[in-house]
Amino acid sequence: MVDLAANRLAVLRIRDFRILLIERLLAPASFAFTQVGVSFAVLDRTHSTADLSYVLAMQIVPTLFFTLISGVFSDRFRPQRVIVVANALIALCEGGLGVLVLTHHDPLAAFLILEFGTGTAMALFYPASLALLPKIVPENLLQEANAISRLAMNSALMGGAAVAGLVVAAAGPGWALTVCGIGMASTLPALLTIRAVANVSEKSPDMLRELREGWVEFRSHIWIWATVLQYTIVLMCWYGSFTVLGPVVAQTKLGGPSAWGLIMASESVGLILGGVWALRFTPKRPMLFVVLVGATIGLPSLTLALLSPLWLVCGASFGVGVVLELMMVQWNLALATRIPADRLARVSAYDTLGSTMTMPVGALIAGPLAAQIGVSSTQFGAVGLILLASLAPLLSAEIRQDRGLSAEPGPGLGTGGGSAREAGGVEGEPAISSVA
């Protein structure tokens, strides 16, 4: 038992992975403050569900423009440098918004502009984050690295959300946003010391060609694009019914920002437990598991629509957090081990764009629709659409019968992937001759 635990924690002996964990503790804990602060700052400022929809939509709109660019940059340059730019931009936008709220110079236009900046940073972050881990961790430790990395992030998010709810309730959303800015700035020194290098390309840079290469890789795997189409609908409905309308229900029925902070913290506790479980959890049919988890994402919105007591909403959020974390580790592992390393960030960018491109629609629809037909009715409709969207991928035999790497080695394994991985080794350390 001791030897097994030691093997599962062997990834902690890798210097750059330990440094990355520092960032993955500081950044989520800091960002949790804006997840609570922005919603209640807008509600305090305008008392309008429609305005809240517009502001939260501006966090997602940039994914339509910048995610693919980030995928190219993260495959071409050092992904940790892309993350540095993203974190610095969040620090500037959220910290600046906090100052405006505290000084009462916070027109709706300021919320819209600065949240667009934060959304741009988020679009830059996701492909770079997925591309970085396989550059600093060998393939045989990737599942443990993914699980531990996400465990650190979710633990930080849990603590940050719980504290943020208390800060907003006691001192106001302006202080929460300011804390977010300071915390995100504190991640930059650690990121700058990571030694992962850029991929080596024999061709001159050509963004359109690189985007086409990523698209060809993306569309060649039905398990990717069919699942992404599912989550296009699922995340649109979840974002509108939970992220936009959840704070409204918390404000009017559950006790305000402290209740919303508790709901978010409960989800994070579930994510943490899921992360611990993910260290040893390997489903026999990973893609089927990913699809089925998507059907559960509407449960917290359902409890909110039913005006359930706070403990039940927290319980649903906790349960979904557990299975979501198990799903995310399996999804990231599948991408990292089946896609060539020199195309991974671009495929991840198409994944991120496809999954999130309708989230602004969910945000823009949720507030005005709730004003017309009611919050609960809007949330019930969203839950129904989530269930319908989750049935479609089950029509694919490839997804139903997928048995992971043992059954489908994929283009990311073997000599082709290995050469790509060698090109993206780590400075000062031997190149790792297998893709991840």
Side-chain angles (χ1 to χ4, degrees), residues 332-395:
N332 289 343
L333 184 63
L335 288 175
T337 52
R338 302 186 193 190
I339 304 300
D342 60 342
R343 299 183 182 185
L344 178 57
R346 281 169 286 171
V347 172
S348 172
Y350 281 111
D351 166 27
T352 301
L353 177 62
S355 299
T356 62
M357 65 183 180
T358 57
M359 287 169 67
V361 177
L364 290 172
I365 290 175
L369 186 60
Q372 294 296 318
I373 68 173
V375 171
S376 292
S377 296
T378 304
Q379 290 172 322
F380 282 130
V383 172
L385 283 176
I386 287 173
L387 293 175
L388 287 175
S390 298
L391 294 175
L394 299 178
L395 298 175

Side-chain angles (χ1 to χ4, degrees), residues 22-192:
I22 295 173
E23 189 271 346
R24 295 194 170 180
L25 285 168
L26 290 174
S30 303
F31 196 73
F33 279 79
T34 194
Q35 289 183 308
V36 179
V38 167
S39 295
F40 288 96
V42 174
L43 290 174
D44 286 350
R45 172 71 175 76
T46 71
H47 307 286
S48 168
T49 58
D51 288 343
L52 180 57
S53 284
Y54 304 146
V55 171
L56 294 182
M58 293 304 285
Q59 283 189 352
I60 309 299
V61 165
T63 61
L64 305 178
F65 305 102
F66 298 112
T67 299
L68 295 181
I69 295 173
S70 175
V72 172
F73 286 170
S74 300
D75 275 337
R76 186 188 298 175
F77 305 119
R78 301 184 182 199
Q80 68 269 32
R81 302 293 174 83
V82 180
I83 297 174
V84 165
V85 173
N87 286 5
L89 185 56
I90 292 175
L92 179 64
C93 292
E94 296 304 316
L97 185 58
V99 172
L100 291 178
V101 172
L102 288 173
T103 57
H104 305 290
H105 294 86
D106 54 346
L108 182 62
F111 282 96
L112 296 172
I113 293 170
L114 291 175
E115 289 310 305
F116 184 88
T118 293
T120 300
M122 293 163 63
L124 293 174
F125 169 81
Y126 288 117
S129 178
L130 185 60
L132 178 57
L133 195 60
K135 286 182 176 294
I136 62 178
V137 174
E139 181 184 345
N140 65 310
L141 294 176
L142 259 182
Q143 179 163 348
E144 289 80 359
N146 265 293
I148 293 172
S149 171
R150 293 185 59 80
L151 182 62
M153 294 171 66
N154 293 324
S155 298
L157 187 64
M158 176 198 67
V163 174
L166 296 176
V167 169
V168 172
W175 286 109
L177 295 170
T178 303
V179 169
C180 174
I182 295 171
M184 294 301 295
S186 72
T187 68
L188 305 184
L191 283 169
L192 290 171

